[in-house]
Tab-separated table of all heavy atoms in Angstrom:
chain	number	residue	atom	x	y	z
A	1	THR	N	7.418	13.524	-9.887
A	1	THR	CA	6.725	12.459	-9.156
A	1	THR	C	7.575	11.196	-9.090
A	1	THR	O	7.597	10.518	-8.057
A	1	THR	CB	5.358	12.164	-9.809
A	1	THR	OG1	4.507	13.298	-9.643
A	1	THR	CG2	4.698	10.945	-9.188
A	2	LEU	N	8.296	10.887	-10.157
A	2	LEU	CA	9.142	9.692	-10.134
A	2	LEU	C	10.213	9.788	-9.055
A	2	LEU	O	10.647	8.772	-8.504
A	2	LEU	CB	9.786	9.469	-11.507
A	2	LEU	CG	8.846	9.096	-12.653
A	2	LEU	CD1	9.644	8.776	-13.910
A	2	LEU	CD2	7.943	7.927	-12.281
A	3	PHE	N	10.648	11.014	-8.747
A	3	PHE	CA	11.641	11.192	-7.689
A	3	PHE	C	11.030	10.973	-6.302
A	3	PHE	O	11.752	10.757	-5.334
A	3	PHE	CB	12.257	12.589	-7.769
A	3	PHE	CG	13.383	12.697	-8.758
A	3	PHE	CD1	13.115	12.838	-10.115
A	3	PHE	CD2	14.700	12.642	-8.344
A	3	PHE	CE1	14.148	12.928	-11.039
A	3	PHE	CE2	15.737	12.731	-9.251
A	3	PHE	CZ	15.464	12.870	-10.612
A	4	GLN	N	9.715	11.046	-6.208
A	4	GLN	CA	9.045	10.842	-4.935
A	4	GLN	C	8.574	9.402	-4.729
A	4	GLN	O	8.142	9.033	-3.629
A	4	GLN	CB	7.833	11.778	-4.835
A	4	GLN	CG	8.182	13.252	-4.963
A	4	GLN	CD	6.942	14.121	-5.010
A	4	GLN	OE1	6.119	14.093	-4.107
A	4	GLN	NE2	6.794	14.888	-6.079
A	5	VAL	N	8.642	8.600	-5.782
A	5	VAL	CA	8.042	7.271	-5.777
A	5	VAL	C	8.577	6.386	-4.656
A	5	VAL	O	7.814	5.625	-4.033
A	5	VAL	CB	8.245	6.599	-7.158
A	5	VAL	CG1	8.135	5.082	-7.064
A	5	VAL	CG2	7.204	7.118	-8.145
A	6	THR	N	9.885	6.465	-4.383
A	6	THR	CA	10.448	5.558	-3.374
A	6	THR	C	9.864	5.810	-1.988
A	6	THR	O	9.941	4.931	-1.122
A	6	THR	CB	11.978	5.696	-3.302
A	6	THR	OG1	12.325	7.058	-3.058
A	6	THR	CG2	12.617	5.230	-4.606
A	7	HIS	N	9.284	6.981	-1.779
A	7	HIS	CA	8.653	7.292	-0.499
A	7	HIS	C	7.163	6.930	-0.499
A	7	HIS	O	6.487	7.108	0.520
A	7	HIS	CB	8.812	8.775	-0.169
A	7	HIS	CG	10.238	9.234	-0.148
A	7	HIS	ND1	11.141	8.794	0.792
A	7	HIS	CD2	10.917	10.066	-0.970
A	7	HIS	CE1	12.314	9.352	0.564
A	7	HIS	NE2	12.212	10.121	-0.497
A	8	ILE	N	6.657	6.456	-1.648
A	8	ILE	CA	5.230	6.162	-1.789
A	8	ILE	C	4.966	4.670	-1.913
A	8	ILE	O	4.066	4.122	-1.274
A	8	ILE	CB	4.645	6.902	-3.021
A	8	ILE	CG1	4.795	8.415	-2.860
A	8	ILE	CG2	3.182	6.523	-3.234
A	8	ILE	CD1	4.403	9.192	-4.110
A	9	THR	N	5.742	4.000	-2.760
A	9	THR	CA	5.475	2.595	-3.073
A	9	THR	C	6.783	1.855	-3.305
A	9	THR	O	7.742	2.439	-3.842
A	9	THR	CB	4.583	2.472	-4.323
A	9	THR	OG1	4.436	1.079	-4.673
A	9	THR	CG2	5.163	3.218	-5.506
A	10	PRO	N	6.856	0.576	-2.937
A	10	PRO	CA	8.045	-0.217	-3.263
A	10	PRO	C	8.070	-0.681	-4.715
A	10	PRO	O	9.095	-1.178	-5.187
A	10	PRO	CB	7.928	-1.417	-2.313
A	10	PRO	CG	6.454	-1.565	-2.082
A	10	PRO	CD	5.901	-0.166	-2.083
A	11	SER	N	6.953	-0.512	-5.427
A	11	SER	CA	6.863	-0.973	-6.817
A	11	SER	C	7.510	0.032	-7.767
A	11	SER	O	7.334	1.244	-7.600
A	11	SER	CB	5.400	-1.169	-7.219
A	11	SER	OG	4.744	-2.069	-6.358
A	12	PRO	N	8.248	-0.438	-8.766
A	12	PRO	CA	8.756	0.482	-9.783
A	12	PRO	C	7.600	1.109	-10.557
A	12	PRO	O	6.570	0.467	-10.785
A	12	PRO	CB	9.617	-0.412	-10.680
A	12	PRO	CG	9.172	-1.798	-10.412
A	12	PRO	CD	8.643	-1.834	-9.018
A	13	VAL	N	7.773	2.362	-10.948
A	13	VAL	CA	6.744	3.094	-11.686
A	13	VAL	C	7.323	3.527	-13.021
A	13	VAL	O	8.380	4.177	-13.068
A	13	VAL	CB	6.254	4.323	-10.899
A	13	VAL	CG1	5.238	5.116	-11.728
A	13	VAL	CG2	5.640	3.903	-9.565
A	14	ILE	N	6.657	3.163	-14.103
A	14	ILE	CA	7.045	3.643	-15.425
A	14	ILE	C	5.943	4.547	-15.961
A	14	ILE	O	4.779	4.439	-15.561
A	14	ILE	CB	7.308	2.489	-16.419
A	14	ILE	CG1	6.029	1.682	-16.686
A	14	ILE	CG2	8.425	1.583	-15.917
A	14	ILE	CD1	6.176	0.676	-17.827
A	15	ILE	N	6.334	5.457	-16.834
A	15	ILE	CA	5.383	6.323	-17.510
A	15	ILE	C	5.522	6.086	-19.010
A	15	ILE	O	6.635	6.104	-19.553
A	15	ILE	CB	5.629	7.809	-17.191
A	15	ILE	CG1	5.558	8.052	-15.679
A	15	ILE	CG2	4.610	8.687	-17.924
A	15	ILE	CD1	5.856	9.503	-15.285
A	16	ILE	N	4.396	5.858	-19.666
A	16	ILE	CA	4.354	5.590	-21.099
A	16	ILE	C	3.418	6.578	-21.767
A	16	ILE	O	2.321	6.847	-21.260
A	16	ILE	CB	3.846	4.158	-21.379
A	16	ILE	CG1	4.852	3.115	-20.895
A	16	ILE	CG2	3.545	3.953	-22.859
A	16	ILE	CD1	4.331	1.685	-20.993
A	17	GLN	N	3.845	7.133	-22.877
A	17	GLN	CA	2.933	7.870	-23.741
A	17	GLN	C	3.456	7.831	-25.169
A	17	GLN	O	4.622	8.138	-25.426
A	17	GLN	CB	2.753	9.317	-23.294
A	17	GLN	CG	1.669	10.023	-24.108
A	17	GLN	CD	1.126	11.270	-23.438
A	17	GLN	OE1	1.655	11.745	-22.439
A	17	GLN	NE2	0.054	11.806	-23.996
A	18	GLU	N	2.570	7.421	-26.072
A	18	GLU	CA	2.902	7.308	-27.485
A	18	GLU	C	4.162	6.474	-27.664
A	18	GLU	O	4.188	5.307	-27.304
A	18	GLU	CB	2.999	8.707	-28.105
A	18	GLU	CG	1.674	9.461	-28.037
A	18	GLU	CD	1.774	10.882	-28.539
A	18	GLU	OE1	2.894	11.348	-28.816
A	18	GLU	OE2	0.726	11.542	-28.640
A	19	GLU	N	5.252	7.057	-28.193
A	19	GLU	CA	6.438	6.250	-28.474
A	19	GLU	C	7.491	6.325	-27.374
A	19	GLU	O	8.601	5.814	-27.540
A	19	GLU	CB	7.081	6.701	-29.789
A	19	GLU	CG	7.662	8.107	-29.755
A	19	GLU	CD	8.462	8.435	-31.007
A	19	GLU	OE1	8.622	7.546	-31.860
A	19	GLU	OE2	8.921	9.585	-31.116
A	20	SER	N	7.174	6.934	-26.232
A	20	SER	CA	8.180	7.157	-25.199
A	20	SER	C	7.845	6.457	-23.889
A	20	SER	O	6.687	6.361	-23.494
A	20	SER	CB	8.338	8.658	-24.920
A	20	SER	OG	8.812	9.337	-26.060
A	21	LEU	N	8.903	6.017	-23.204
A	21	LEU	CA	8.822	5.476	-21.851
A	21	LEU	C	9.903	6.147	-21.013
A	21	LEU	O	11.019	6.376	-21.492
A	21	LEU	CB	9.034	3.967	-21.852
A	21	LEU	CG	9.069	3.242	-20.495
A	21	LEU	CD1	8.530	1.821	-20.642
A	21	LEU	CD2	10.477	3.185	-19.896
A	22	ILE	N	9.567	6.462	-19.739
A	22	ILE	CA	10.583	6.925	-18.803
A	22	ILE	C	10.494	6.124	-17.518
A	22	ILE	O	9.420	5.667	-17.117
A	22	ILE	CB	10.492	8.443	-18.511
A	22	ILE	CG1	9.195	8.815	-17.794
A	22	ILE	CG2	10.674	9.260	-19.781
A	22	ILE	CD1	9.153	10.264	-17.309
A	23	TYR	N	11.655	5.967	-16.884
A	23	TYR	CA	11.770	5.198	-15.644
A	23	TYR	C	12.986	5.724	-14.896
A	23	TYR	O	14.059	5.894	-15.500
A	23	TYR	CB	11.928	3.707	-15.975
A	23	TYR	CG	12.301	2.825	-14.820
A	23	TYR	CD1	11.502	2.753	-13.686
A	23	TYR	CD2	13.455	2.033	-14.869
A	23	TYR	CE1	11.850	1.920	-12.617
A	23	TYR	CE2	13.795	1.198	-13.816
A	23	TYR	CZ	12.985	1.149	-12.689
A	23	TYR	OH	13.329	0.331	-11.649
A	24	LEU	N	12.837	6.004	-13.620
A	24	LEU	CA	13.931	6.577	-12.849
A	24	LEU	C	14.779	5.471	-12.228
A	24	LEU	O	14.298	4.690	-11.403
A	24	LEU	CB	13.392	7.510	-11.762
A	24	LEU	CG	14.468	8.301	-11.009
A	24	LEU	CD1	15.174	9.281	-11.948
A	24	LEU	CD2	13.851	9.044	-9.827
A	25	LEU	N	16.053	5.432	-12.620
A	25	LEU	CA	16.999	4.488	-12.040
A	25	LEU	C	17.533	5.065	-10.732
A	25	LEU	O	18.047	6.178	-10.698
A	25	LEU	CB	18.171	4.259	-13.001
A	25	LEU	CG	17.828	3.762	-14.412
A	25	LEU	CD1	19.093	3.711	-15.264
A	25	LEU	CD2	17.151	2.408	-14.365
A	26	GLN	N	17.410	4.301	-9.656
A	26	GLN	CA	17.948	4.727	-8.373
A	26	GLN	C	19.456	4.442	-8.331
A	26	GLN	O	19.980	3.653	-9.119
A	26	GLN	CB	17.229	4.000	-7.239
A	26	GLN	CG	15.743	4.304	-7.152
A	26	GLN	CD	15.457	5.781	-6.912
A	26	GLN	OE1	16.200	6.469	-6.190
A	26	GLN	NE2	14.387	6.280	-7.507
A	27	PRO	N	20.187	5.077	-7.422
A	27	PRO	CA	21.625	4.805	-7.331
A	27	PRO	C	21.902	3.309	-7.164
A	27	PRO	O	21.214	2.621	-6.405
A	27	PRO	CB	22.044	5.591	-6.083
A	27	PRO	CG	21.045	6.706	-5.997
A	27	PRO	CD	19.753	6.109	-6.475
A	28	GLY	N	22.893	2.821	-7.908
A	28	GLY	CA	23.228	1.408	-7.854
A	28	GLY	C	23.409	0.827	-9.241
A	28	GLY	O	23.614	1.558	-10.223
A	29	LYS	N	23.302	-0.510	-9.321
A	29	LYS	CA	23.506	-1.229	-10.577
A	29	LYS	C	22.171	-1.737	-11.117
A	29	LYS	O	21.360	-2.271	-10.364
A	29	LYS	CB	24.451	-2.415	-10.354
A	29	LYS	CG	25.851	-2.014	-9.900
A	29	LYS	CD	26.725	-3.237	-9.697
A	29	LYS	CE	28.132	-2.847	-9.254
A	29	LYS	NZ	29.000	-4.034	-9.050
A	30	HIS	N	21.986	-1.592	-12.401
A	30	HIS	CA	20.730	-1.984	-13.052
A	30	HIS	C	21.034	-2.808	-14.302
A	30	HIS	O	21.968	-2.512	-15.041
A	30	HIS	CB	19.917	-0.747	-13.448
A	30	HIS	CG	19.592	0.144	-12.287
A	30	HIS	ND1	18.417	0.045	-11.585
A	30	HIS	CD2	20.310	1.143	-11.701
A	30	HIS	CE1	18.413	0.944	-10.617
A	30	HIS	NE2	19.541	1.621	-10.670
A	31	ARG	N	20.197	-3.827	-14.515
A	31	ARG	CA	20.257	-4.623	-15.740
A	31	ARG	C	18.903	-4.495	-16.433
A	31	ARG	O	17.892	-5.008	-15.936
A	31	ARG	CB	20.577	-6.087	-15.420
A	31	ARG	CG	20.548	-7.019	-16.637
A	31	ARG	CD	20.967	-8.424	-16.253
A	31	ARG	NE	22.369	-8.447	-15.869
A	31	ARG	CZ	23.373	-8.687	-16.720
A	31	ARG	NH1	23.123	-8.947	-17.994
A	31	ARG	NH2	24.612	-8.705	-16.285
A	32	LEU	N	18.878	-3.805	-17.548
A	32	LEU	CA	17.645	-3.551	-18.292
A	32	LEU	C	17.588	-4.503	-19.485
A	32	LEU	O	18.478	-4.486	-20.343
A	32	LEU	CB	17.603	-2.100	-18.775
A	32	LEU	CG	17.731	-1.022	-17.692
A	32	LEU	CD1	17.779	0.360	-18.324
A	32	LEU	CD2	16.572	-1.114	-16.708
A	33	HIS	N	16.541	-5.308	-19.519
A	33	HIS	CA	16.355	-6.223	-20.648
A	33	HIS	C	15.597	-5.484	-21.756
A	33	HIS	O	14.477	-5.018	-21.557
A	33	HIS	CB	15.596	-7.466	-20.190
A	33	HIS	CG	16.374	-8.300	-19.219
A	33	HIS	ND1	17.284	-9.252	-19.610
A	33	HIS	CD2	16.400	-8.289	-17.858
A	33	HIS	CE1	17.835	-9.812	-18.546
A	33	HIS	NE2	17.315	-9.241	-17.469
A	34	VAL	N	16.244	-5.380	-22.895
A	34	VAL	CA	15.683	-4.612	-24.019
A	34	VAL	C	15.584	-5.501	-25.249
A	34	VAL	O	15.950	-5.119	-26.369
A	34	VAL	CB	16.532	-3.350	-24.297
A	34	VAL	CG1	16.407	-2.358	-23.161
A	34	VAL	CG2	18.022	-3.716	-24.491
A	35	ASP	N	15.046	-6.708	-25.012
A	35	ASP	CA	14.964	-7.709	-26.077
A	35	ASP	C	13.544	-8.220	-26.263
A	35	ASP	O	13.329	-9.354	-26.683
A	35	ASP	CB	15.900	-8.875	-25.774
A	35	ASP	CG	15.647	-9.499	-24.395
A	35	ASP	OD1	14.790	-8.968	-23.651
A	35	ASP	OD2	16.298	-10.508	-24.062
A	36	THR	N	12.544	-7.388	-25.961
A	36	THR	CA	11.153	-7.829	-26.093
A	36	THR	C	10.666	-7.778	-27.533
A	36	THR	O	9.629	-8.354	-27.858
A	36	THR	CB	10.220	-6.945	-25.251
A	36	THR	OG1	10.229	-5.609	-25.782
A	36	THR	CG2	10.654	-6.914	-23.785
A	37	GLY	N	11.372	-7.055	-28.391
A	37	GLY	CA	10.909	-6.838	-29.757
A	37	GLY	C	10.046	-5.604	-29.898
A	37	GLY	O	9.648	-5.238	-31.011
A	38	LEU	N	9.752	-4.966	-28.777
A	38	LEU	CA	8.917	-3.761	-28.789
A	38	LEU	C	9.749	-2.481	-28.707
A	38	LEU	O	9.195	-1.375	-28.780
A	38	LEU	CB	7.924	-3.795	-27.619
A	38	LEU	CG	6.969	-4.983	-27.585
A	38	LEU	CD1	6.132	-4.949	-26.308
A	38	LEU	CD2	6.064	-4.979	-28.810
A	39	GLU	N	11.053	-2.635	-28.548
A	39	GLU	CA	11.913	-1.468	-28.406
A	39	GLU	C	12.057	-0.724	-29.734
A	39	GLU	O	12.183	-1.342	-30.803
A	39	GLU	CB	13.308	-1.883	-27.921
A	39	GLU	CG	13.342	-2.415	-26.498
A	39	GLU	CD	12.863	-3.848	-26.375
A	39	GLU	OE1	12.741	-4.519	-27.419
A	39	GLU	OE2	12.597	-4.298	-25.236
């Protein structure tokens, strides 16, 4: 479904369950901020 998201919504979609998160990075450059204290 994450691979289909760009054809459905312009909003990024994340999936969370228990201790895991996934997010599909599209081709290009990404800057991920991992300093929330929740990582």
Side-chain angles (χ1 to χ4, degrees):
T1 293
L2 293 186
F3 277 80
Q4 302 174 57
V5 158
T6 56
H7 304 294
I8 299 173
T9 175
S11 303
V13 177
I14 64 171
I15 302 177
I16 292 173
Q17 187 161 10
E18 298 175 353
E19 66 172 356
S20 297
L21 176 149
I22 65 172
Y23 170 58
L24 187 65
L25 303 175
Q26 297 299 324
K29 297 180 179 180
H30 302 266
R31 175 176 293 269
L32 303 176
H33 294 275
V34 292
D35 55 356
T36 65
L38 301 175
E39 292 78 13

